[in-house]
Amino acid sequence: MRATSAKRLCLPALVLAFVSGCGTPGPPQPPSLNLSKPVSDLKAARTGNQIVLSWTVPTETTDGATFRHRGQTKICRAIDQARIEGTGKCAVIATLATPAKQETANAVTSVPAESTAATDYVTFALEVDNDRSRNAGLSNQVQIPTAAVSRLNGNPASELTPDAVLVVANATPQDAGLTQTLELRRSEKGAPHEITVARRMLELPLGEAANVELRDESFVWEKTYAYRVVVVGSANLPNGSTVVFDGASTSPIEVIAHDVFPPAIPMQVQAVFSGQLAGQPPSIDLTWNPVMDRDLTGYFVYRRLPNESSVTKLNQQPLTAPAFSDKAVQPGNTYLYSVSAIDERGNESRRSDEASEQVPR
């Protein structure tokens, strides 16, 4: 009995020793420094004299933990400096609270007044501090040109023609060393986006105001559009990239593309008696030059006798081809013919010059 009790006492001891060996703690881990990972997707875009910076708000620390104790985000700027080596090498132009619940953040700043030559630019970077004003270094760096672009004087004028919407802007060139283009941008009423419908290089004497015409030939009749003219600059940066940016812009002007324009008048109308063949009634065949208007529907043919002042329309539906055969003619009569063109919206041209032909007796 004593031997059996001794064996039973040994089993719990072995189990306890086994459990104790598995639970031995490893070496202690250092505490997190709570340093935010540097921003890696900083972007910059220029519109006019405003520069918009945007980035993704950091959520992780450099050691993979959640970035909890957030401090300030510092925006660092350097003028005509290709790279910023640290905040001591640039001007901190703004300090923002790092948002806790936003995925993205942005900030708006202005083009520096002292940096407007054709080759001038600025470099931006960010530092994201924790609540102890410590950080893991600068973000990626972005550059944006700051050259002065040409001025647009007042609102543009517009004119609706049969072939295009004409928009005329008055511009004053500011910097001959900067590549600049005038763009005509159009948005349809009720649509959120605009498209560029015309471009023209800005090549005017420096400092002299002049009118520049832009044409929109892709508009659609019976729609309402908003147009604006934008000066677009293009500059090469030290990092090897070419940045295209919007400079000055006019306010939008509204154009209602209501078609009140008839097609061109048909030309070179000819009338020829075709004779009487194999028992067929006599006829007069008409031809004319086709009208090339893009919204042409067809043609109407009119006829009168020499002693008549009014004309008779010979076809009630528009002809789609520039030809017609008049079989309702009588021997011995002379007929005078004219032709008009009509478009998709019912605008009819004036009648052509008359062509005459006689039916032999």
Side-chain angles (χ1 to χ4, degrees):
M1 294 293 294
R2 290 179 181 176
T4 302
S5 298
K7 289 179 181 179
R8 288 176 179 173
L9 289 172
C10 287
L11 289 173
L14 289 173
V15 172
L16 180 60
F18 176 75
V19 172
S20 298
C22 289
T24 302
Q29 299 295 317
S32 173
L33 295 177
N34 192 44
L35 298 179
S36 163
K37 283 185 177 180
V39 170
S40 60
D41 64 347
L42 177 63
K43 299 179 180 65
R46 176 181 170 183
T47 302
N49 285 328
Q50 284 193 334
I51 299 172
V52 178
L53 303 174
S54 59
W55 63 93
T56 300
V57 178
T59 58
E60 291 186 8
T61 65
T62 53
D63 49 14
T66 300
F67 184 40
R68 300 183 184 280
H69 304 291
R70 306 183 179 204
Q72 303 291 313
T73 297
K74 293 178 288 190
I75 300 175
C76 184
R77 184 190 73 190
I79 296 175
D80 292 337
Q81 184 176 316
R83 181 154 188 85
I84 302 171
E85 301 301 335
T87 52
K89 303 294 183 180
C90 69
V92 176
I93 60 170
T95 301
L96 313 172
T98 302
K101 297 183 179 180
Q102 295 176 212
E103 293 184 359
T104 59
N106 61 73
V108 180
T109 184
S110 299
V111 170
E114 68 274 23
S115 178
T116 56
T119 57
D120 282 345
Y121 64 96
V122 290
T123 302
F124 291 98
L126 302 179
E127 282 186 338
V128 180
D129 288 349
N130 61 16
D131 58 353
R132 296 185 178 183
S133 300
R134 296 181 178 179
N135 60 72
L138 291 170
S139 68
N140 64 300
Q141 300 185 22
V142 293
Q143 296 175 349
I144 202 80
T146 56
V149 297
S150 299
R151 292 199 313 267
L152 293 173
N153 308 308
N155 283 331
S158 64
E159 179 184 356
L160 185 63
T161 73
D163 302 315
V165 176
L166 306 182
V167 177
V168 179
N170 187 270
T172 304
Q174 292 290 91
D175 194 328
L178 181 69
T179 301
Q180 299 178 70
T181 305
L182 284 185
E183 288 191 359
L184 180 62
R185 297 182 184 176
R186 183 189 77 196
S187 61
E188 190 174 337
K189 189 173 184 178
H193 303 297
E194 64 179 7
I195 61 173
T196 298
V197 294
R199 291 184 177 88
R200 186 168 177 178
M201 291 293 294
L202 192 56
E203 298 174 329
L204 299 172
L206 193 63
E208 294 184 14
N211 289 332
V212 181
E213 181 183 279
L214 297 160
R215 298 171 57 92
D216 176 17
E217 298 179 352
S218 64
F219 74 99
V220 176
W221 290 115
E222 309 311 322
K223 290 192 175 185
T224 300
Y225 297 107
Y227 290 93
R228 67 187 183 104
V229 178
V230 182
V231 179
V232 178
S234 176
N236 297 321
L237 296 175
N239 61 11
S241 65
T242 299
V243 175
V244 177
F245 61 94
D246 286 358
S249 171
T250 65
S251 299
I253 57 170
E254 183 177 271
V255 174
I256 301 173
H258 178 51
D259 184 8
V260 295
F261 303 99
I265 300 170
M267 305 293 289
Q268 300 296 320
V269 179
Q270 297 182 2
V272 178
F273 175 69
S274 66
Q276 190 169 353
L277 301 174
Q280 297 296 321
S283 64
I284 294 177
D285 293 334
L286 304 173
T287 59
W288 55 90
N289 291 345
V291 172
M292 304 307 294
D293 292 47
R294 62 181 180 177
D295 60 346
L296 180 74
T297 295
Y299 308 92
F300 289 120
V301 177
Y302 297 86
R303 186 186 76 180
R304 70 180 180 90
L305 295 173
N307 61 346
E308 294 176 337
S309 58
S310 60
V311 296
T312 299
K313 184 188 288 187
L314 299 185
N315 58 303
Q316 298 307 309
Q317 296 299 320
L319 303 170
T320 57
F324 180 77
S325 182
D326 181 13
K327 294 179 171 54
V329 295
Q330 298 297 322
N333 282 350
T334 297
Y335 297 96
L336 302 174
Y337 295 93
S338 57
V339 181
S340 70
I342 189 167
D343 67 18
E344 296 171 349
R345 280 154 295 282
N347 298 305
E348 186 175 357
S349 74
R350 290 190 294 110
R351 297 194 302 274
S352 68
D353 293 339
E354 290 180 320
S356 66
E357 180 66 317
Q358 184 179 34
V359 180
R361 293 185 183 275

